[in-house]
Amino acid sequence: MRIRIVDAFTDRPFTGNPAGVMLLNDADAFPDDSRLQNIALEVNHAETAFAHPLPEGGEADWALRWFTPAAEVAMCGHATLATAHVLHTTGAHEGPVRFATRSGVLIATPAGDGSVTMDFPTAPLTRVDPPRGLAEALGAEPLTVLDTGPNVGDLLVELADEKTVHGLGPDLKALAAHSARGVIATARAEDPARGYDFVSRCFFPNVGIDEDPVTGSAHTALAPFWSERLDRPGLTGLQASRRSGLVHTELRGERTLLTGRAVTVIEGELLA
C-alpha cells in the first residue's frame, strides 16, 4: 500500500501541518485498530488519515478515520484536506468527495486554483469560568474561556494580544488537566493588513501532540468566535506555530467552511 506525507494548509513544502495519508483498497472495512494505531505511531505526525472507498449510491464516497501517534480522534481538518488532495491529485476521485467520519459526512470540494474547501460542523461554544491553574499552565492570563463541545474537545482561550500568543511557553503536563484534547490560544491580529484576521496556537498534550502546527478542527471554533467579534462571516486565521499556516474560514450557521492548499512531499510503500 502506498503511504504519503502531505503538508496541509500551505502551498510550500516543509510548512503547514504534515499528515500521513493511506488510501486502502478494501471497500468493506478498515484493518483492526491496533494496526492503524501502529502505523500512525510509525508515521509520527500529528495525524495519519486512513480512507477506503465505499459502494456507489450511498451517502458518502469514502470512509475516513484519523489517528494521532497516541489515539484516534473524532475530527481532523488538516488530514482531511491532505486526503482530499491525494484523492484528486492521483485521480482516485474526481470532483467533491464525501467522507463518512465519526463527525458525520464531511464534504471536500476542490477548486481550479488547487485549493480545497471542506464543509465541517461548527463547534458549539459555551463560555466557562477559567479553570483554576489554567493561567499558570498556559503562561498567560485568559480574557475569555469557552468550551468547544465534544467534536473538538478543547478549551478556547482568548488572550490579550497577538504578541502574547506568539510568546507562549506552556507547561504541557499541567495544561493536560484542563480539557479532553487541549487548549486553543487565540487573539485578534495586530495588523490585518498582513493578510490574517486572528492568530492562534494549539496545544494537545492529551493526544500526544505538544503543539499542532495548523489545526483545521480548531478553526470550527475559532470561526464562530471571531466572526461574531469582527462581524464578518469570512475570515483568515494564522496558526503561528514554527511551521505556520493559513486557514480561510466562512461561517454558515451550523456549518463552517475551511479552505486551504496542500502539497505532497513524500510518497512511499508500506512494507510491514
Side-chain angles (χ1 to χ4, degrees), residues 100-160:
T101 77
R102 288 174 59 180
S103 297
V105 175
L106 307 178
I107 301 174
T109 303
D113 63 0
S115 66
V116 174
T117 296
M118 301 175 293
D119 182 337
F120 272 52
T122 301
L125 302 181
T126 305
R127 188 160 181 161
V128 297
D129 293 331
R132 180 178 298 178
L134 176 62
E136 292 78 9
L138 191 57
E141 193 67 35
L143 298 182
T144 310
V145 180
L146 301 104
D147 181 88
T148 60
N151 283 341
V152 177
D154 299 326
L155 286 182
L156 175 61
V157 180
E158 181 190 10
L159 300 178

Side-chain angles (χ1 to χ4, degrees), residues 12-230:
R12 295 180 295 116
F14 316 121
T15 60
N17 200 352
V21 177
M22 288 195 66
L23 302 183
L24 307 171
N25 296 323
D26 189 344
D28 297 321
F30 289 101
D32 65 78
D33 289 2
S34 62
R35 178 166 172 78
L36 298 179
Q37 188 64 72
N38 283 335
I39 294 171
L41 178 60
E42 189 76 10
V43 172
N44 203 33
H45 283 311
E47 265 90 14
T48 297
F50 301 91
H52 71 71
L54 294 171
E56 293 184 5
E59 66 173 3
D61 307 301
W62 289 74
L64 177 62
R65 295 172 70 181
W66 313 279
F67 286 77
T68 77
E72 184 173 10
V73 296
M75 180 188 292
C76 180
H78 86 279
T80 303
L81 173 57
T83 304
H85 169 79
V86 170
L87 287 171
H88 294 299
T89 56
T90 63
H93 189 92
E94 295 183 359
V97 55
R98 301 168 299 167
F99 292 114
T101 77
R102 288 174 59 180
S103 297
V105 175
L106 307 178
I107 301 174
T109 303
D113 63 0
S115 66
V116 174
T117 296
M118 301 175 293
D119 182 337
F120 272 52
T122 301
L125 302 181
T126 305
R127 188 160 181 161
V128 297
D129 293 331
R132 180 178 298 178
L134 176 62
E136 292 78 9
L138 191 57
E141 193 67 35
L143 298 182
T144 310
V145 180
L146 301 104
D147 181 88
T148 60
N151 283 341
V152 177
D154 299 326
L155 286 182
L156 175 61
V157 180
E158 181 190 10
L159 300 178
D161 51 35
E162 181 174 343
K163 182 179 179 181
T164 302
V165 174
H166 283 283
L168 289 175
D171 179 340
L172 294 167
K173 184 176 180 180
L175 205 63
H178 293 295
S179 67
R181 183 175 70 166
V183 170
I184 306 164
T186 188
R188 185 177 301 200
E190 180 180 323
D191 180 8
R194 295 176 181 171
Y196 55 92
D197 302 290
F198 60 88
V199 64
S200 66
R201 290 176 67 189
C202 294
F203 307 100
F204 304 141
N206 286 329
V207 291
I209 303 167
D210 288 347
E211 180 170 5
D212 198 32
V214 192
T215 314
S217 60
H219 284 76
T220 67
L222 289 162
F225 180 79
W226 286 112
S227 287
E228 181 180 359
R229 294 292 184 93
L230 302 177

Side-chain angles (χ1 to χ4, degrees), residues 4-7 12-15 18-19 45 85 243 263-267:
R4 297 168 174 85
I5 306 299
V6 179
D7 290 343
R12 295 180 295 116
F14 316 121
T15 60
H45 283 311
H85 169 79
R243 292 176 63 101
V263 56
T264 302
V265 293
I266 295 174
E267 182 175 350

